[in-house]
Amino acid sequence: MRWDNLRLTDSVEAEPLAPLFARGAITRTFDTPEFRGMTFYEIQARSIINRVPPASRVPFTHTINPYRGCGHRCTYCFARKTHEYLDLDAGADFDSKIVVKVNAGELARRELGAARWRGQAIAMGTNVDCYQRAEGRYRLMRGILEALRDAANPFSILTKGTLILRDLDLLTEAAQVTTVGANLSVGFVDADVWRSVEAGTPHPLRRLETCATLNDHGIGCGVLMAPILPYLTDSPAQLERTVKEIAAAGATHLAPIVLHLRPGAREWYLGWLSREHPRLVPRYLELYGRGAYAPQAYRRRITAQVKALATRHGIGRATPSRARRLPTRPTAPAPEQLPLDLGLG
């Protein structure tokens, strides 16, 4: 496959590179518990600011993605299909074979300073998580944030990673010169579901603590309540509990999104469902039998329930400076998102 010509060793000369990459690539594997079974492809990217096709119908026009593939291992991730463009599969390869654009910070500074750049807002974390565990070693976001700060360029970050707090200094500095937005992705707070479908992420309550900390430091942070999983996290009691915890974190806003199953994610998620909850497979096929999205009536009902709960619990009424800290509570050990020294030198 095309990745074969990216493997470099001391004794074998590199073969010509695939068109996706401009210069040499290095393949690394680590024997640490955090990265066992994973492979990292360190590449020199040709560009880092991506223009979003108008047909995408998203509320941003440009993105930065320092990684491809994601160690969060979310079974439902819509970005899985993109790994197939690299001749990798959308399942296990997406979780374990991560492309690292090691020159991301350098490229961001260069492209933000180009005469043709007009200072459009940039969204990060919209494809794969820019604060996934690998960021603890590669630290690509610091270079990117420094470039955005120095260019006074507006940006937003969506993440499941508590590691964003490592860069709180840069976020607060950037917020003094431009618009900075943040959202934590927390679709549910059920610990059993979390362990099963988001195995590589921090506990949902730790993410909400991160939301509270960002708001306490003047970085307005909301919550993307996504995905809401039909028949698993959509009961009135589960929605109530999740919204209540989001409110306790002082989230500035809340946006609910019901699970959608695009190709790649669809096969991987339904495979998981057939193993873990086989009785639900027929019900999912009824909901998603005609496409990637659940029926509009179902989505409207869930959205209305969450909106009513958000109003009841006062989400959006508190100012960020008054965001309440979540109470300390015992939880099962969660995957930590801390800077990791992997001895790569």
Side-chain angles (χ1 to χ4, degrees):
M1 69 183 178
R2 285 187 301 199
W3 281 117
D4 290 341
N5 63 8
L6 300 180
R7 300 179 184 277
L8 298 186
T9 67
D10 293 336
S11 58
V12 180
E13 195 170 304
E15 299 178 11
L17 294 175
L20 181 63
F21 309 115
R23 289 181 285 170
I26 296 175
T27 303
R28 295 192 188 275
T29 59
F30 315 118
D31 192 29
T32 58
E34 297 85 356
F35 294 100
R36 189 165 292 128
M38 299 183 71
T39 302
F40 295 88
Y41 301 98
E42 300 176 2
I43 64 113
Q44 297 284 335
R46 288 177 173 169
S47 63
I48 198 66
I49 299 178
N50 313 296
R51 183 172 180 81
V52 178
S56 298
R57 295 188 299 177
V58 291
F60 47 84
T61 59
H62 293 80
T63 64
I64 288 179
N65 298 302
Y67 301 95
R68 295 184 69 161
C70 187
H72 281 341
R73 307 200 303 279
C74 300
T75 58
Y76 51 74
C77 182
F78 72 90
R80 288 183 172 277
K81 183 72 173 177
T82 62
H83 239 43
E84 295 181 2
Y85 307 152
L86 307 176
D87 287 345
L88 298 170
D89 70 56
D93 284 351
F94 181 84
D95 296 337
S96 63
K97 296 184 178 180
I98 313 299
V99 178
V100 183
K101 303 173 185 177
V102 293
N103 59 336
E106 171 191 338
L107 284 176
R109 185 170 296 277
R110 181 190 310 164
E111 293 174 20
L112 290 168
R116 64 181 178 276
W117 180 250
R118 295 293 180 264
Q120 298 96 322
I122 291 176
M124 292 177 284
T126 58
N127 189 38
V128 301
D129 204 318
C130 52
Y131 281 107
Q132 59 179 284
R133 184 182 294 275
E135 171 62 15
R137 164 58 178 90
Y138 287 103
R139 302 175 64 87
L140 301 182
M141 284 299 293
R142 287 199 66 83
I144 293 169
L145 292 176
E146 288 169 352
L148 288 163
R149 175 202 62 192
D150 294 347
N153 201 99
F155 65 89
S156 62
I157 297 173
L158 169 64
T159 184
K160 285 186 174 76
T162 57
L163 183 56
I164 189 175
L165 295 182
R166 180 204 63 191
D167 295 336
L168 191 55
D169 58 333
L170 294 175
L171 294 171
T172 54
E173 290 170 8
Q176 295 175 17
V177 297
T178 190
T179 302
V180 176
N183 284 279
L184 268 292
S185 176
V186 183
F188 44 84
V189 294
D190 185 292
D192 291 332
V193 177
W194 159 67
R195 290 188 192 97
S196 188
V197 301
E198 299 176 344
T201 66
H203 192 287
L205 295 181
R206 290 199 59 236
R207 289 179 239 159
L208 292 177
E209 290 168 356
T210 298
C211 174
T213 300
L214 289 169
N215 279 317
D216 284 349
H217 286 80
I219 305 299
C221 184
V223 170
L224 190 67
M225 189 171 163
I228 297 170
L229 305 176
Y231 311 118
L232 291 171
T233 65
D234 65 344
S235 71
Q238 288 168 312
L239 295 177
E240 167 84 28
R241 181 187 173 199
T242 301
V243 173
K244 184 177 180 180
E245 295 287 5
I246 291 171
T252 59
H253 56 274
L254 169 60
I257 298 179
V258 172
L259 173 73
H260 55 270
L261 293 175
R262 300 178 187 174
R266 181 186 184 89
E267 296 80 2
W268 195 246
Y269 181 83
L270 290 179
W272 167 83
L273 194 72
S274 67
R275 295 188 302 274
E276 300 296 326
H277 303 280
R279 63 182 179 80
L280 292 181
V281 172
R283 303 176 77 178
Y284 266 78
L285 293 179
E286 182 180 352
L287 277 181
Y288 295 95
R290 296 188 177 183
Y293 295 89
Q296 190 176 70
Y298 173 85
R299 287 183 279 137
R300 284 179 173 172
R301 175 171 62 84
I302 295 298
T303 299
Q305 286 180 269
V306 173
K307 182 178 180 180
L309 289 168
T311 299
R312 182 192 310 167
H313 289 286
I315 293 177
R317 291 205 297 262
T319 60
S321 62
R322 295 181 181 179
R324 288 181 289 148
R325 294 286 186 179
L326 288 169
T328 301
R329 70 196 75 198
T331 60
E336 296 294 321
Q337 290 243 334
L338 301 174
L340 301 173
D341 181 6
L342 303 179
L344 298 183

